[in-house]
Amino acid sequence: MTNRKRLRTSRRTATAAAQSDFFDDLPDDLVVFILCKLSSSASSPSDLINVLITCKRLNRFGLHSLVLSKAGPGAFAIKAKSWSDSAHRFLKLCVSAGNIEACYTLGMIRFYCLQNRGSGASLMAKAAMRCHTRALYSLAVIQFNGSGGSKKEKDLRAGVSLCARAAGLGHIDALRELGHCLQDGYGVRQNVSEGRRLIVQANAQELATVITSATWRSHQYQHFYACLTGLVSCPLLSDFGCNVPGPEVHPANRFMKEWFGSGRWLEGVGLRMCSHVGCGRPETRPHEFRRCSVCGTVNYCSRGCQALDWKLRHKVQCKPIERWLGVDGGGGGDGVDEGGEGENVVVE
């Protein structure tokens, strides 16, 4: 009789243990820590959303300020077609939590897509003050072009200063842009040798970054060997004889490309998009961006975008416009007009 009672008791205990949720026994700080790791490594917003809809406890801790402050760029990779008030609110929550990546992403969306120039620039400046390199470089591009204002509002010196700050923090595009500014005397005293040194340094840093990445090691080793031995052509970083993929497109740039789509909306108001495939920036006034001085068919928001697009694709597409064939010197294939605002100056 005693054994039967013990057996019943043990069965009841096992059933109760099976029915209990061990997740409820986890300490709150451990759950928050796990969610912080998840939000920082999320590859898409759905990674975080799927957790929030799992249960009330995860929803509550998923919106904890610490979790939102740690969210990485992938958590903000919102598609333009999915933009909504709830997406906007989520980004604002992350901004309020002190997430500088959210400051930059929402700043870019507001400045270029929602045309809220003041708020967008303010958010990017907030991220830049905390040494966010992309925000520093984006503000530099805005200063170079006078974006959101008139041509007279260009501030080349401020653009060079912001580029120098971003380059000093390791931003490769800013380093390349600074090199072109020095080489051309654009917003700074001309120093051709120093400018070329910075451009070479930017290419070297880009190459080093790609070679040390896991993607390169797992998929590109054989192609890298073929490049070194001259068996294949190398569209990017041809100075070093290496074929490396273009830089990963940031969620903010991808959002802008999707938002403006084929560019029909821009064409309706006489505006153009930057022709570099990884940029997505639109003009904020007609003829804001520079055109290629040889073919006149592509436009760039910056010298950095022009240099990258030249190596990626435009080098094989650029052909002189017939009316320019008689111009002395013919123009360098990678030239961009110096004046912007629709001027076409052939650069030798």
Side-chain angles (χ1 to χ4, degrees):
M1 194 72 176
T2 304
N3 291 334
R4 289 181 180 178
K5 288 183 178 180
R6 288 178 179 175
L7 181 61
R8 289 173 186 169
T9 303
S10 62
R11 286 177 179 176
R12 289 173 185 170
T13 304
T15 303
Q19 292 177 347
S20 65
D21 190 348
F22 291 107
F23 173 70
D24 293 334
D25 298 330
L26 291 176
D28 291 350
D29 56 349
L30 180 58
V31 176
V32 170
F33 175 78
I34 294 172
L35 289 175
C36 285
K37 291 292 186 181
L38 174 65
S39 66
S40 64
S41 60
S43 59
S44 66
S46 61
D47 292 345
L48 196 55
I49 293 172
N50 290 336
V51 172
L52 297 179
I53 63 177
T54 301
C55 66
K56 291 182 178 179
R57 191 183 186 204
L58 283 177
N59 182 275
R60 185 174 73 255
F61 287 128
L63 296 176
H64 192 281
S65 59
L66 187 59
V67 175
L68 296 179
S69 68
K70 299 294 184 182
F76 309 130
I78 303 167
K79 294 185 179 298
K81 64 181 180 181
S82 303
W83 180 253
S84 61
D85 290 339
S86 59
H88 200 169
R89 282 196 300 271
F90 173 70
L91 281 171
K92 288 194 289 186
L93 281 174
C94 293
V95 169
S96 299
N99 190 308
I100 61 173
E101 194 64 46
C103 288
Y104 171 68
T105 302
L106 184 57
M108 291 283 283
I109 291 174
R110 283 186 177 176
F111 188 90
Y112 288 106
C113 302
L114 305 183
Q115 298 183 40
N116 190 340
R117 314 294 188 198
S119 176
S122 177
L123 285 171
M124 283 188 274
K126 186 176 180 180
M129 286 189 291
R130 295 177 59 183
C131 299
H132 190 281
T133 56
R134 287 184 182 271
L136 284 164
Y137 180 62
S138 293
L139 289 173
V141 172
I142 290 173
Q143 294 295 333
F144 282 135
N145 295 320
S147 301
S150 65
K151 181 180 179 180
K152 296 180 180 179
E153 294 182 47
K154 292 182 179 181
D155 192 338
L156 304 186
R157 290 186 177 182
V160 170
S161 178
L162 288 164
C163 263
R165 175 64 174 156
L169 293 171
H171 194 275
I172 295 173
D173 287 343
L175 183 62
R176 181 181 287 111
E177 185 79 20
L178 184 61
H180 282 284
C181 287
L182 283 167
Q183 186 174 260
D184 302 336
Y186 191 72
V188 66
R189 186 187 295 274
Q190 188 174 28
N191 189 332
V192 176
S193 60
E194 180 65 13
R196 289 181 176 175
R197 186 188 70 81
L198 292 181
I199 293 172
V200 171
Q201 184 179 338
N203 281 273
Q205 288 185 10
E206 188 174 45
L207 178 62
T209 300
V210 173
I211 289 178
T212 55
S213 68
T215 304
W216 174 276
R217 291 195 300 269
S218 59
H219 300 293
Q220 299 290 340
Y221 180 78
Q222 291 182 351
H223 194 76
F224 175 60
Y225 177 77
C227 290
L228 291 178
T229 55
L231 298 178
V232 295
S233 60
C234 309
L236 184 62
L237 293 179
S238 55
D239 302 338
F240 298 93
C242 301
N243 182 24
V244 301
E248 184 178 355
V249 179
H250 190 274
N253 298 92
R254 190 180 298 114
F255 182 94
M256 291 191 296
K257 286 181 60 117
E258 294 174 358
W259 181 274
F260 296 109
S262 62
R264 292 178 182 175
W265 179 85
L266 293 171
E267 290 174 2
V269 291
L271 302 178
R272 307 166 296 184
M273 287 185 68
C274 179
S275 297
H276 175 39
V277 293
C279 181
R281 288 181 178 86
E283 291 181 319
T284 61
R285 65 177 183 279
H287 308 299
E288 177 183 334
F289 292 166
R290 303 176 188 85
R291 289 180 294 184
C292 174
S293 60
V294 176
C295 65
T297 61
V298 292
N299 321 280
Y300 299 107
C301 67
S302 62
R303 284 165 170 76
C305 278
Q306 182 271 331
L308 281 174
D309 193 58
W310 172 254
K311 292 181 180 180
L312 282 171
R313 66 185 183 93
H314 192 53
K315 185 175 183 179
V316 297
Q317 299 173 350
C318 186
K319 295 182 180 179
I321 293 180
E322 191 173 318
R323 65 187 176 89
W324 288 346
L325 289 178
V327 178
D328 292 338
D334 58 348
V336 173
D337 65 21
E338 290 294 322
E341 306 299 321
E343 300 175 14
N344 293 283
V345 180
V346 177
V347 181
E348 294 184 4

